[in-house]
Each structure stands twice: as structure tokens, then as C-alpha cells.
Amino acid sequence: MKDVLSGVEEKLRAREFKFTTRRELILKALLENNDKHLSAEELYNLVKQKAPDMGLATVYRALELFQELDIINAIDFGDGRKRYEFGVEVGKNHHHYHFICTKCGCINEVDDDLTEDLESRIGKKHKFTITDHQLKIFGICNKCLASY
Amino acid sequence: MKDVLSGVEEKLRAREFKFTTRRELILKALLENNDKHLSAEELYNLVKQKAPDMGLATVYRALELFQELDIINAIDFGDGRKRYEFGVEVGKNHHHYHFICTKCGCINEVDDDLTEDLESRIGKKHKFTITDHQLKIFGICNKCLASY
DNA sequence: TTGGATGCAAAGCCTTTGCATACCT
DNA sequence: AGGTATGCAAAGGCTTTGCATCCAA
């Protein structure tokens, strides 16, 4: 976690952005909830507990900046808002996918090397220059299945 | 194309929805641009040429209905609006993915059986009940590569 | 000190909704 | 005839932006 923080700090400074208290708070909240795929507003509510005068716009601006620096990615799970997760460079397993229950809407992140060579095979076959991929699996989660 | 139209008509009638002229026009425009991943507004502009008094709300309502009947799927390519493509039941190759150029934003749909057994392997491994999947590949398209 | 960062409120953009009217069955 | 479908305009929800103020370097 410390590594990530100082890594981001470096990245910011390298492009003459400032490593402010607000940005650090936002980053920490993201780190502590890495698995939850927070939306901007959820993140805002979390950070507001530690900095009650935080503005929602600041959260949006920080998220935009972090995306630009390839620190986080935005994903749309179909609920009309963007959700965020850390990118490959920040220790996120590149080979994971999201299992989305179409019944209750829950999102499970799964690490699985089944997708490991998919990207390279696709790259070779089609001569694409691939930088990343994103896989969503839709279905019914075990909890919902059990409640039938 | 005729098959799809009458198939949808059946689906609508089965649930006591009406197969109206407007819905048919919208469906046809979707079919004729199957590969373009139209947004609601793009679709609206197309259909408006044939029915100038068409309202944007009608397009949205038709798209919502078609989704509910599993005729089309909504996808977010990161440009802040939903885009639509036909679902598996309407002749769409289940094993395709989208290649999205992070430089120019172009979207290429690729049919490729490399993903064919991925779903079933994941299903077996994790005991999920899978109904569908969605794969996005990000990178630089050939056109952008060439212009460096 | 100085330009970027932030809070607040307003504006933007895509999408949904209410209501009166028009249309399909 | 009766209820669904539609057009129009207003409202909603998420996100971005303008501006004055504040803060990191």
C-alpha cells in the first residue's frame, strides 16, 4: 500500500501534478476498497468521513487524473454509472474478469489464468497491438440460484 | 432479415406488445447497421429520415423493450452513451469480441472462436451458471499505427 | 509567491417520465 | 372501443465546468 502511494506520488510529480492531501485520501479509500468497484459517489461518501468539506467535483477530477495516468480503469457494469478499479501497473492481476449476476446485480472479481494466453493468441492472429482487455461474464450467482 | 423481423413480431405478440410501424422501422435500421453499434441518438437520426415525426423517446422506449425481450444488448464503449447490438438469439455470433482503439476510438467487431470454450471452461471451474459474456480488447488499430 | 487544486453551484449530456393524443387489435 | 404506443416537453441522474478561493512547492 505504501508502495502504491509513493508510486502514484512519483507519477504525479513526473508530470508536475501535485500530490495533495485530498488526492491521497481518495487514493487510500480506493486502495482499501479495491475489491468493491466503487462509484464516484460511493467514494465521495467514504472520503467525506475523513474530510467532511470534500467536494464531489474533487473526487471526479481526481478519478479523471488517475485514469489519465493509467493508475485506475473505469468500468461500466450496466447500472448507469462508472466504477473504478486499479490498473495493471498497480498490482492488479491482469488476468481477472468480472462475474455479474443478472438477478441481483452483484459483481464478483475472479482471478483466473484461463484468460492468460487469450490476449496473446488474439494479438498474433489479428496483428493487433493490444494493451489491455476486459472480460465480463453474465449469469446467475450461487446465492440467487439457491433462493429458487 | 425477414426472419428476424417476423421473429421479433412473434416475440412481441407473445407478451402482448404491439408490432407497430415505428418499432419495425427502428428494428430495420438496427439490422441494416448491425456492425455499427449505433447509439440511441444515431438510431434516432437514421429513422427520422423515414419518419420525420418520430420522437427520440420512442427510440429509447423501443430499445428498452428490445432489451427486455433479449433481442438486443447494450454495451458501453466508454464514450458516455449506450450502444446496441443484436443478441445471440438473433443470429449474432456468440463468440465475438470488440477491438477498441484507444487512439481514435474506432470499434471493430471480430468473430473468433478463440473464446469459444472459454465460457464453458470458466463455468466448469467455478460452478457459475453462465448465460453470456462480453470481451473487449483495447489497443491501437492498424490505421493509427501506420500514421506514426 | 504562483500556478495548480478545490468547493460550490450551475450547466451539460444522456436517458427517463408524465400527460394528452394517436394508433393497433 | 379499449388499452397500448407515441410526441412533446419537463424532469432525473451522473458528470463536467466556471469562478473565486485556497494550498502545495
Side-chain angles (χ1 to χ4, degrees):
Chain A
M1 159 126 174
K2 292 270 182 208
D3 315 357
V4 179
L5 283 177
S6 53
V8 171
E9 184 172 355
E10 230 171 272
K11 251 188 175 172
L12 285 171
R13 289 192 203 289
R15 291 187 43 186
E16 302 193 319
F17 293 112
K18 290 173 181 169
F19 189 66
T20 61
T21 314
R22 308 266 124 139
R23 287 178 179 164
E24 189 176 350
L25 276 176
I26 293 170
L27 201 57
K28 276 184 181 166
L30 276 170
L31 278 169
E32 285 162 8
N33 299 278
N34 195 353
D35 54 329
K36 297 222 185 73
H37 300 96
L38 298 173
S39 67
E41 189 147 13
E42 288 165 355
L43 188 54
Y44 169 64
N45 288 326
L46 277 177
V47 181
K48 214 170 165 57
Q49 294 171 11
K50 297 193 177 171
D53 61 331
M54 164 83 66
L56 180 54
T58 301
V59 174
Y60 275 106
R61 282 188 276 235
L63 288 170
E64 195 194 353
L65 181 61
F66 293 161
Q67 283 182 85
E68 209 175 302
L69 297 178
D70 288 322
I71 295 162
I72 59 174
N73 297 320
I75 314 178
D76 177 294
F77 291 109
D79 60 351
R81 72 207 65 187
K82 289 177 184 169
R83 295 178 172 279
Y84 301 87
E85 67 173 18
F86 281 91
V88 184
E89 299 185 34
V90 198
K92 170 70 84 176
N93 185 342
H94 186 45
H95 302 294
H96 73 276
Y97 56 79
H98 297 104
F99 178 82
I100 303 157
C101 178
T102 52
K103 195 86 185 165
C104 69
C106 72
I107 300 162
N108 279 291
E109 189 169 315
V110 185
D111 288 329
D112 191 327
D113 58 7
L114 280 177
T115 65
E116 191 159 355
D117 60 348
L118 186 66
E119 200 176 90
S120 64
R121 282 163 71 193
I122 288 175
K124 276 178 195 157
K125 193 162 171 183
H126 299 286
K127 292 178 186 158
F128 291 152
T129 303
I130 297 176
T131 54
D132 199 7
H133 70 254
Q134 199 178 284
L135 175 62
K136 293 181 206 158
I137 307 277
F138 299 96
I140 312 286
C141 72
N142 289 332
K143 207 181 285 179
C144 282
L145 259 187
S147 68
Y148 268 121
Chain B
M1 160 125 174
K2 291 268 183 211
D3 317 355
V4 178
L5 283 177
S6 53
V8 170
E9 184 171 354
E10 230 171 89
K11 252 188 175 173
L12 285 171
R13 290 193 201 288
R15 290 189 41 188
E16 303 194 317
F17 293 111
K18 290 173 181 168
F19 190 66
T20 62
T21 314
R22 306 268 125 137
R23 287 178 180 162
E24 190 176 350
L25 275 176
I26 293 170
L27 200 57
K28 276 183 180 167
L30 276 170
L31 278 169
E32 285 162 8
N33 298 278
N34 195 354
D35 53 328
K36 297 222 186 70
H37 300 97
L38 298 172
S39 68
E41 189 147 11
E42 288 166 355
L43 189 52
Y44 168 66
N45 289 326
L46 277 178
V47 181
K48 215 171 165 54
Q49 294 171 10
K50 296 192 178 172
D53 61 332
M54 164 82 67
L56 180 55
T58 301
V59 174
Y60 275 106
R61 282 188 276 235
L63 287 170
E64 194 194 354
L65 181 61
F66 293 161
Q67 283 183 85
E68 209 177 302
L69 298 178
D70 288 322
I71 295 163
I72 60 174
N73 297 318
I75 314 179
D76 177 293
F77 291 108
D79 61 350
R81 72 207 63 188
K82 289 178 184 169
R83 295 179 172 278
Y84 301 87
E85 67 172 19
F86 281 91
V88 184
E89 300 184 32
V90 197
K92 171 71 83 174
N93 186 343
H94 186 44
H95 302 294
H96 74 277
Y97 56 80
H98 297 104
F99 178 81
I100 302 157
C101 178
T102 53
K103 196 87 186 167
C104 71
C106 72
I107 300 162
N108 279 290
E109 189 170 315
V110 186
D111 289 328
D112 192 327
D113 57 8
L114 280 178
T115 64
E116 191 158 356
D117 59 350
L118 186 68
E119 201 177 270
S120 65
R121 282 164 72 194
I122 287 175
K124 275 177 195 157
K125 193 162 170 183
H126 299 287
K127 292 178 185 159
F128 290 151
T129 303
I130 297 175
T131 55
D132 199 7
H133 70 255
Q134 202 177 284
L135 175 62
K136 292 181 206 158
I137 307 278
F138 299 96
I140 313 285
C141 72
N142 289 333
K143 206 180 288 179
C144 283
L145 260 187
S147 68
Y148 270 119

